Amino acid sequence: MEENMMLTTVEDTVEYHLFLIPDESKDPGKHREILEKYIERIMTQFAPMLAPYIWQNQPFNLRYKPGKGGVPAHMYGMTKFGDNIEDEWFIVYLIKEITKEFPELVARIEDNDGEFLLIEAADFLPKWLDPDNSANRVFFHHGELCIIPVPRKSETVSWLPTTPPTIPQALNIISTHPEKVLASESIRAAVNRRIRGYPEKIQASLHRAHCFLPAGIAVVLKQRPRLVAAAVQAFYLRDPIDLRACRVFKTFLPETQIMTSVTFTKCLYAQLIQQRFVPDRRSGYRLPPPSHPQYRAHELGMKLAHGFEILCSKCSPHFSNSKKSLVTTSPLWASFLESLKKNDYFKGLIEGSAQYRERLEMAKNYFQLSVDRPESSLAMSPGEEILTMLQTVTFDIEELKKEDANLPPEDDDQWLELSPDQLDQLLQKAAGTKESQPISKKEEEQNYELTQVTDSMKAFISKVSTHKGAELPREPSEAPITFDADSFLNYFDKILGPKAQESDSDDLDEEDFEYLDSDDDLDLKMQEPGEEASLKGTLDDLKSYMAQMDQELAHTSMGKSFTTKKQMDPSSKTTSNNSDEEDSGAGDSVMAPVDVDLNLVSNILESYSSQAGLAGPVSNLLQSMGVQLPDNSDHRATSKPVKAKRCP
């Protein structure tokens, strides 16, 4: 019936907390009243942005959260953003703007990964900041990112705790020393770069497409555009039980289909369009041939119809909406509507006009989801909301069909098929790297120096690494770590003492052994003077033995896999045409050393070629060092080695 079926997805969530400072209220009831008033003001002021927004799973919401476990009472919200990461960063923008508009508020935000703002600015964090000590240190205040520092070991700061601060301590520090906890400019720039473009970016994230839909769905989406997300999710996460409900459609009959325009987010559109699906023959839905000019509209409409039918199938056929309170009966609705009018939500529209009613319906929907106790068990499910609308709204199919000729043009979906160059530009933009001037591939290959690869790898190896990882040499100007031989020998003198024979290996700490090359080096320093000659002879024999092993391995497949340096004198050039046996004998007498640089570059280029233009270990490692390899213009099989010129 279908080629691929998504059964599960990761529902990532983001949590946000808004605290009021200074918190001087001693009466919990009075404090709750103040916070609930702030919630109403915030949701009203940002309603023009939030009301029309199409969320992937859950909307932005705020509610009162009582104090518990040392955390004072505050405003709290949680949103499941699922596959659309842009929802999470839009919430970051909202939190930033809320603290800018309300300077008396301090906010913190985190998701499943913890302090994801620090992850975004990982390249610019101070050395002392790590996941172990970052708890309750990252906040938004006055629209700026703040990080509470840790006092240095050599100093004591009265207002800085030595352990991770509690929430009350953090709020007190931010309110009394706001300029000292401001994050560095580079950290703030990294976060601001990620949320740059809002709120205009909201429109850029939408995609409008024509869909051949049942008339009931068209009417529902006209009044509740956000329900497209629930329908796409229902289709995207369908299971065999869901498809069983779509064998015979009971709610959205295929014979009522009309052409209409539907607004998706780009994430929802991509989820819907990328899945191949063939409807059950018993459903009544038929697709035209792919060559049909409106095939895409029919396919999208068929998939959306399945999603809406699945949503409605999850409701009882005789579900009761008697427990579902109307929005207009809520005690908060009157003041909320009055606040919307004061904030020019209706943009001067005449009351009772079609556009006014459309925005009013959007405001009611927004109020029900985000303001009027969104955690309430009385909230309608998407399926119940759809069935309720179908029972209360009347429409004429013939009148809807007449609107086909006046549909707005659909958006181009070429953004679904990015070229490799466009993808590289997006990745560089996301990483915050400077955009380089475009140059031709020929110029890129001519100007490229293979020594960049060897120099970068040598600089990488020379860096100090710990159990937390290695530091990448991003700046070419960084000097490599030097080795002081005298200090190294002096350290041995301190360990072994003035007389080697008086020292005992048991007196050495385990850490001291790390500085010894091997056990043989320790034994060599502890030998009597008369035994040094015998030991030296043993070492010479060992070196001779190792050289013989190298001679034998040189003619094996392992030895021939390495490229050696050519050590040819003028006399040897004249005998280059000798037999293979003579060449073999000459090779036995003189061992040519391995050309380390050439082998390194050859192996790297061969591995890069085997990536076939995709991301891989070589490109990821070199790009992190600032080395950008040119595209492989050799279209031979990737199993063949890539020829590389000798590094100068």
Side-chain angles (χ1 to χ4, degrees):
M1 184 174 181
E2 59 181 352
E3 293 188 8
N4 56 345
M5 181 183 295
M6 300 295 295
L7 295 179
T8 137
T9 187
V10 178
E11 289 190 339
D12 292 323
T13 60
V14 57
E15 297 184 10
Y16 30 97
H17 311 256
L18 292 168
F19 301 92
L20 180 63
I21 59 170
D23 184 10
E24 300 176 352
S25 176
K26 302 300 182 181
D27 183 3
K30 184 67 175 179
H31 187 53
R32 174 166 186 164
E33 183 180 345
I34 294 174
L35 290 178
E36 288 181 344
K37 193 66 177 178
Y38 267 101
I39 293 175
E40 182 181 345
R41 291 174 59 189
I42 291 170
M43 302 306 290
T44 303
Q45 184 162 340
F46 290 89
M49 270 194 300
L50 293 171
Y53 192 88
I54 300 177
W55 298 92
Q56 182 78 8
N57 280 351
Q58 292 179 337
F60 176 84
N61 58 87
L62 288 175
R63 67 175 184 267
Y64 172 81
K65 189 169 186 178
K68 182 179 180 181
V71 179
H74 61 282
M75 294 170 279
Y76 168 79
M78 183 187 72
T79 298
K80 293 181 180 179
F81 59 88
D83 296 321
N84 193 0
I85 192 68
E86 286 302 323
D87 282 1
E88 181 179 32
W89 287 107
F90 178 50
I91 292 176
V92 173
Y93 167 78
L94 288 173
I95 295 297
K96 177 182 171 69
E97 292 299 309
I98 289 172
T99 58
K100 183 187 295 183
E101 293 293 329
F102 300 91
E104 63 275 19
L105 296 181
V106 174
R108 65 186 305 263
I109 183 170
E110 58 185 352
D111 65 4
N112 303 73
D113 296 323
E115 302 288 355
F116 67 98
L117 297 179
L118 298 183
I119 298 176
E120 185 68 22
D123 293 335
F124 311 101
L125 298 181
K127 295 293 184 182
W128 60 263
L129 188 58
D130 57 43
D132 296 333
N133 62 10
S134 63
N136 300 334
R137 294 191 184 276
V138 184
F139 294 86
F140 273 108
H141 184 48
H142 287 280
E144 297 291 349
L145 188 66
C146 300
I147 299 178
I148 299 176
V150 172
R152 298 178 181 177
K153 295 180 179 179
S154 59
E155 62 180 4
T156 56
V157 182
S158 59
W159 54 274
L160 282 180
T162 56
T163 59
T166 62
I167 291 293
Q169 286 177 330
L171 297 179
N172 181 61
I173 292 172
I174 293 174
S175 62
T176 55
H177 303 87
E179 70 286 346
K180 295 182 180 180
V181 297
L182 191 64
S184 67
E185 185 177 353
S186 57
I187 295 177
R188 286 180 287 143
V191 176
N192 291 336
R193 183 167 51 247
R194 191 63 179 81
I195 59 177
R196 183 185 302 159
Y198 284 109
E200 294 79 10
K201 193 177 179 180
I202 297 175
Q203 290 299 321
S205 67
L206 300 178
H207 183 88
R208 297 165 183 83
H210 291 171
C211 299
F212 197 55
L213 283 170
I217 298 179
V219 172
V220 169
L221 288 178
K222 193 171 183 179
Q223 296 194 19
R224 297 282 195 275
R226 64 170 181 84
L227 287 175
V228 69
V232 172
Q233 291 292 92
F235 174 79
Y236 188 70
L237 303 177
R238 63 198 179 276
D239 57 29
I241 298 177
D242 294 332
L243 291 177
R244 190 181 306 164
C246 297
R247 291 175 182 173
V248 179
F249 276 63
K250 299 178 181 179
T251 306
F252 302 105
L253 304 180
E255 54 266 22
T256 63
Q257 287 177 302
I258 62 171
M259 190 67 71
T260 187
S261 179
V262 178
T263 300
F264 303 86
T265 63
K266 288 185 175 179
C267 181
L268 292 171
Y269 180 78
Q271 286 181 326
L272 196 64
I273 202 65
Q274 293 294 341
Q275 286 200 24
R276 299 186 62 185
F277 177 78
V278 179
D280 194 295
R281 293 181 179 180
R282 292 167 288 183
S283 67
Y285 282 86
R286 299 287 185 272
L287 291 178
S291 58
H292 193 279
Q294 294 182 333
Y295 173 80
R296 178 63 59 86
H298 282 76
E299 183 186 30
L300 287 173
M302 176 269 298
K303 293 177 179 178
L304 265 185
H306 278 72
F308 274 92
E309 188 73 19
I310 291 172
L311 290 176
C312 294
S313 68
K314 296 181 181 296
C315 303
S316 171
H318 304 290
F319 82 96
S320 173
N321 59 356
S322 59
K323 296 182 180 180
K324 313 298 180 180
S325 59
L326 296 176
V327 172
T328 54
T329 62
S330 172
L332 299 176
W333 169 248
S335 60
F336 179 76
L337 181 60
E338 189 64 27
S339 299
L340 288 180
K341 293 178 180 179
K342 290 181 180 179
N343 285 275
D344 195 26
Y345 171 78
F346 293 99
K347 306 294 183 183
L349 296 172
I350 300 175
E351 189 170 350
S353 64
Q355 292 180 333
Y356 182 93
R357 292 197 306 269
E358 183 178 343
R359 293 190 70 85
L360 180 62
E361 195 66 30
M362 195 178 296
K364 290 180 181 179
N365 182 34
Y366 167 71
F367 176 82
Q368 182 181 9
L369 289 175
S370 303
V371 181
D372 190 23
R373 298 183 181 182
E375 77 281 4
S376 174
S377 60
L378 297 178
M380 286 188 180
S381 68
E384 292 173 340
E385 190 175 354
I386 294 168
L387 292 176
T388 301
M389 290 188 63
L390 292 177
Q391 293 173 2
T392 57
V393 177
T394 58
F395 55 90
D396 187 351
I397 297 180
E398 296 301 325
E399 290 294 328
L400 293 174
K401 288 183 178 179
K402 294 179 181 179
E403 299 178 1
D404 293 359
N406 299 322
L407 292 179
E410 54 184 352
D411 296 335
D412 189 3
D413 61 359
Q414 289 298 317
W415 51 269
L416 281 172
E417 301 176 1
L418 293 177
S419 64
D421 293 338
Q422 291 174 322
L423 182 59
D424 289 340
Q425 291 177 3
L426 287 178
L427 292 175
Q428 291 177 2
K429 183 179 179 181
T433 57
K434 296 181 179 179
E435 296 182 1
S436 57
Q437 296 294 331
I439 58 176
S440 64
K441 290 185 178 181
K442 185 175 181 181
E443 292 176 344
E444 183 182 6
E445 293 172 1
Q446 289 177 350
N447 297 333
Y448 193 79
E449 295 289 344
L450 288 178
T451 52
Q452 295 181 26
V453 178
T454 56
D455 293 342
S456 298
M457 290 299 296
K458 290 177 181 177
F460 173 67
I461 294 173
S462 68
K463 291 294 175 181
V464 175
S465 63
T466 66
H467 66 283
K468 295 183 179 180
E471 295 182 2
L472 296 172
R474 292 184 176 273
E475 297 296 334
S477 59
E478 292 183 5
I481 296 175
T482 58
F483 176 75
D484 191 345
D486 295 335
S487 299
F488 184 75
L489 294 177
N490 290 337
Y491 185 78
F492 267 110
D493 291 338
K494 293 180 181 179
I495 296 177
L496 301 176
K499 294 182 180 181
Q501 63 271 19
E502 295 178 0
S503 62
D504 190 353
S505 60
D506 291 337
D507 296 332
L508 296 177
D509 295 334
E510 182 179 357
E511 182 180 356
D512 297 332
F513 275 100
E514 297 179 1
Y515 294 89
L516 301 178
D517 291 337
S518 65
D519 293 339
D520 294 336
D521 295 336
L522 180 61
D523 294 339
L524 179 61
K525 293 181 179 292
M526 299 180 63
Q527 296 296 328
E528 296 291 339
E531 299 177 358
E532 292 183 1
S534 175
L535 181 58
K536 186 176 184 302
T538 302
L539 293 177
D540 291 339
D541 293 340
L542 181 59
K543 291 180 180 179
S544 175
Y545 179 72
M546 297 297 294
Q548 292 179 12
M549 290 181 61
D550 290 340
Q551 293 278 1
E552 295 180 5
L553 290 174
H555 301 289
T556 64
S557 58
M558 178 63 70
K560 293 179 180 179
S561 64
F562 294 96
T563 304
T564 58
K565 295 181 179 179
K566 303 297 182 182
Q567 294 182 341
M568 299 178 63
D569 53 20
S571 61
S572 63
K573 292 182 180 180
T574 59
T575 60
S576 60
N577 295 327
N578 290 343
S579 64
D580 295 340
E581 294 180 0
E582 293 174 348
D583 292 341
S584 177
D588 291 338
S589 60
V590 179
M591 280 291 298
V594 173
D595 192 332
V596 178
D597 290 348
L598 183 57
N599 281 276
L600 171 66
V601 174
S602 298
N603 290 326
I604 285 179
L605 291 180
E606 184 174 357
S607 179
Y608 180 73
S609 178
S610 65
Q611 294 177 193
L614 302 175
V618 172
S619 58
N620 291 341
L621 178 61
L622 293 181
Q623 285 181 10
S624 64
M625 300 177 186
V627 178
Q628 182 72 37
L629 287 176
D631 293 336
N632 180 22
S633 58
D634 190 353
H635 299 288
R636 297 174 300 173
T638 57
S639 60
K640 297 181 180 180
V642 180
K643 292 183 178 180
K645 295 182 180 179
R646 185 182 304 278
C647 296

